[in-house]
Amino acid sequence: MQDGPPRTRDQEGDFETVTVPEQHCDQLRDLLIAEEAETVVEVGLAYASSALAIGEALATIDHPNPRHIIIDPFQEREFSNAGWDLLCWAGLETIATLIAEPSSLALPQLLTEGFVADAAFVDGSHRFHEVFVDLYFLRKVVRPGGLIVIDDNWWPSVHTAVQYYEKNLGWTGIPDAFPVETAGVGPKGNHGARCKAYRLPDAPFEPSFEDFRAF
């Protein structure tokens, strides 16, 4: 984080805009350590700041079989593998796997294979329908009672998608996971916490269509 990535896209301030801030990465790491997570799935790699934090958490916990599944179809084309190279230089390729496919294809494939995660970090597409689909599959991939952490929750498209799951499927926000004072500048210059963590219900359920709560 201090040195920055080996290369960036040809867009001014791209690293600072795209990457998860250092303090949020530290909080993500600490949250996963407290959770004693062994398997984490991440949507979106980019410059790997969050991936390095997840890798640090898994190395610190030191379970016998840690796994970090990363989904990013744009890592090579858009980022010239800058994020993946950083993970490899950190020695984390022994626990990390990069799936270079859209999350809408990769997540259902993981589900079909019986993959189960303790936690997920979501920082992929910010289009409402694609975020909604990511969360649909992640609630089936992440174990009951597990964690789903959302980046850029301050974007209306992302926040609105998450609201459905919070209001209709029992996802519970963890208010002290990412304190507001450690935020940055979001859409239209608004300040606030960009990341938010949710706890899934201990017992998964499917609500009746008659109980739908508008979001």
Side-chain angles (χ1 to χ4, degrees):
M1 178 62 69
Q2 292 175 346
D3 295 338
R7 51 195 170 275
T8 64
R9 294 184 297 183
D10 188 21
Q11 301 175 26
E12 184 177 356
D14 191 56
F15 172 69
E16 293 78 9
T17 301
V18 170
T19 197
V20 179
E22 181 178 4
Q23 198 160 9
H24 274 342
C25 287
D26 290 345
Q27 292 167 335
L28 173 62
R29 174 202 62 205
D30 294 344
L31 181 64
L32 294 175
I33 291 174
E35 191 72 8
E36 297 187 352
E38 183 172 14
T39 303
V40 179
V41 59
E42 180 173 16
V43 179
L45 178 57
Y47 296 118
S49 61
S50 56
L52 288 167
I54 293 168
E56 184 179 359
L58 293 175
T60 300
I61 299 165
D62 197 25
H63 280 300
N65 297 300
R67 292 189 69 190
H68 182 191
I69 304 298
I70 305 166
I71 302 168
D72 191 339
F74 303 109
Q75 175 60 200
E76 180 176 4
R77 187 178 74 194
E78 292 289 330
F79 296 95
S80 301
N81 283 322
W84 182 248
D85 285 348
L86 284 171
L87 282 179
C88 293
W89 292 338
L92 293 169
E93 77 279 5
T94 58
I95 65 173
T97 300
L98 175 62
I99 301 176
E101 295 182 2
S103 55
S104 58
L105 300 178
L107 287 172
Q109 182 60 41
L110 289 174
L111 181 63
T112 300
E113 295 170 357
F115 175 81
V116 178
D118 298 305
F121 183 74
V122 186
D123 188 19
S125 170
H126 289 19
R127 299 182 184 94
F128 167 82
H129 56 285
E130 292 175 325
V131 179
F132 193 91
V133 170
D134 285 349
L135 299 181
Y136 173 83
F137 285 108
L138 284 172
R139 70 179 282 263
K140 297 174 179 290
V141 167
V142 175
R143 63 168 174 80
L147 293 178
I148 294 183
V149 180
I150 311 294
D151 185 39
D152 285 325
N153 184 63
W154 50 21
W155 281 99
S157 54
V158 176
H159 180 74
T160 303
V162 178
Q163 283 294 289
Y164 169 78
Y165 295 90
E166 185 172 11
K167 291 188 176 184
N168 290 275
L169 291 171
W171 292 21
T172 305
I174 304 175
D176 56 349
F178 297 93
V180 171
E181 61 266 26
T182 61
V185 179
K188 299 181 180 179
N190 295 327
H191 288 260
R194 64 182 276 171
C195 294
K196 188 167 183 178
Y198 288 89
R199 173 84 58 192
L200 300 190
D202 290 329
F205 65 94
E206 295 296 338
S208 167
F209 70 90
E210 297 175 339
D211 297 331
F212 175 76
R213 298 179 182 179
F215 61 101

